[in-house]
């Protein structure tokens, strides 16, 4: 499906950067500034497509979003970024429908930039070195298991560090907010996106 979508958009003269996972897509923001993200909602792992879109919007507020999915409607996903387009795969008769949806989304897309606040910068400034590293790895889309692997620690230790980081940032105090996405968005607003070579392993 990814290859078919990529070829369809290339045929419509879009410059396309296919990514095999959400982590790959997030890492791509260090080298490209995309006009539109085309993603499924179910990506087989976390972050899912909705979370990926939220992170993409934090990293690049001008990026439009098109969800191409088997879900019948967007009613079950109240957290879709404003202005995103929801396309059911079974409703498409040809690739022209997808290309049309992408073009329409780009045409209608309005850009809203949210700069970091002094409070947000202050919260990050109070993090410990370990918490800062945890936050950076979260912002790159890594799971707790992969963070543990990169840091050479146990998953349980990472889970505790993640929890303390969320508490320090105050992103775990509302049941309507995904703390992982909120933390990644906060990091992006304050620092921008870290280049892959800057990652601590």
């Amino acid at each position: 499906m990814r290859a078919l979508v990529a070829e369809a958009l290339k045929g419509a003269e879009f410059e396309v950067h296919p990514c095999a996972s959400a982590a790959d897509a997030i890492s791509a923001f260090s080298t490209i500034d995309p006009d539109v993200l085309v993603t499924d909602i179910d990506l087989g792992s976390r972050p899912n497509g909705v979370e990926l879109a939220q992170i993409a919007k934090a990293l690049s507020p001008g990026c439009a979003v098109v969800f191409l999915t088997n879900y019948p409607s967007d009613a079950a996903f109240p957290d879709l970024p404003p202005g995103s387009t929801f396309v059911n795969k079974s409703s498409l008769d040809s690739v022209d429908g997808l290309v049309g949806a992408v073009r329409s989304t780009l045409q209608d897309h309005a850009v809203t930039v949210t700069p970091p606040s002094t409070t947000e910068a202050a919260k990050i400034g109070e993090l410990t070195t370990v918490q800062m590293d945890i936050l950076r790895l979260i912002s790159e889309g890594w799971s707790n298991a992969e963070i543990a692997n990169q840091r050479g620690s146990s998953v349980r230790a990472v889970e505790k560090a993640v929890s303390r980081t969320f508490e320090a940032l105050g992103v775990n105090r509302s049941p309507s907010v995904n703390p992982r996405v909120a933390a990644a968005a906060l990091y992006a607003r304050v620092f921008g996106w870290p280049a892959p070579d800057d990652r601590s392993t």
Side-chain angles (χ1 to χ4, degrees), residues 97-164:
L98 172 61
V99 172
V102 171
R103 285 180 171 157
S104 176
T105 302
L106 286 171
Q107 183 176 357
D108 297 339
H109 184 60
V111 177
T112 302
V113 177
T114 305
S117 67
T118 303
T119 302
E120 289 176 330
K123 286 180 179 179
I124 284 188
E126 294 173 356
L127 296 181
T128 67
T129 301
V130 170
Q131 290 171 343
M132 183 67 75
D133 192 44
I134 292 290
L135 177 59
R136 181 175 53 186
L137 292 168
I138 287 173
S139 72
E140 292 177 350
W142 300 118
S143 66
N144 286 353
E146 179 56 26
I147 292 174
N149 179 55
Q150 292 192 30
R151 289 183 54 80
S153 61
S154 68
V155 173
R156 184 168 184 178
V158 168
E159 289 174 348
K160 291 181 178 179
V162 167
S163 179
R164 287 192 292 267

Side-chain angles (χ1 to χ4, degrees), residues 2-188:
R2 181 173 68 250
L4 289 173
V5 169
E7 287 304 313
L9 294 175
K10 286 178 182 177
E13 300 184 348
F14 284 93
E15 179 182 337
V16 182
H17 300 270
C19 297
S21 67
D24 287 348
I26 294 169
S27 294
F29 279 84
S30 64
T31 56
I32 63 173
D33 185 17
D35 295 311
V36 60
L37 167 71
V38 179
T39 181
D40 202 336
I41 289 180
D42 184 2
L43 301 179
S45 62
R46 301 291 294 275
N48 60 33
V50 176
E51 294 166 335
L52 171 60
Q54 292 170 333
I55 293 171
K57 295 291 287 184
L59 297 174
S60 180
C63 182
V65 180
V66 175
F67 291 100
L68 179 62
T69 179
N70 283 322
Y71 287 99
S73 76
D74 59 358
F77 305 99
D79 296 330
L80 298 185
S84 57
T85 299
F86 192 94
V87 180
N88 181 261
K89 293 177 183 177
S90 62
S91 70
L92 293 176
D93 296 328
S94 67
V95 295
D96 291 340
L98 172 61
V99 172
V102 171
R103 285 180 171 157
S104 176
T105 302
L106 286 171
Q107 183 176 357
D108 297 339
H109 184 60
V111 177
T112 302
V113 177
T114 305
S117 67
T118 303
T119 302
E120 289 176 330
K123 286 180 179 179
I124 284 188
E126 294 173 356
L127 296 181
T128 67
T129 301
V130 170
Q131 290 171 343
M132 183 67 75
D133 192 44
I134 292 290
L135 177 59
R136 181 175 53 186
L137 292 168
I138 287 173
S139 72
E140 292 177 350
W142 300 118
S143 66
N144 286 353
E146 179 56 26
I147 292 174
N149 179 55
Q150 292 192 30
R151 289 183 54 80
S153 61
S154 68
V155 173
R156 184 168 184 178
V158 168
E159 289 174 348
K160 291 181 178 179
V162 167
S163 179
R164 287 192 292 267
T165 301
F166 290 166
E167 181 62 30
L169 294 174
V171 297
N172 61 345
R173 297 170 186 169
S174 171
S176 63
V177 174
N178 183 311
R180 210 171 186 91
V181 173
L186 174 59
Y187 183 96

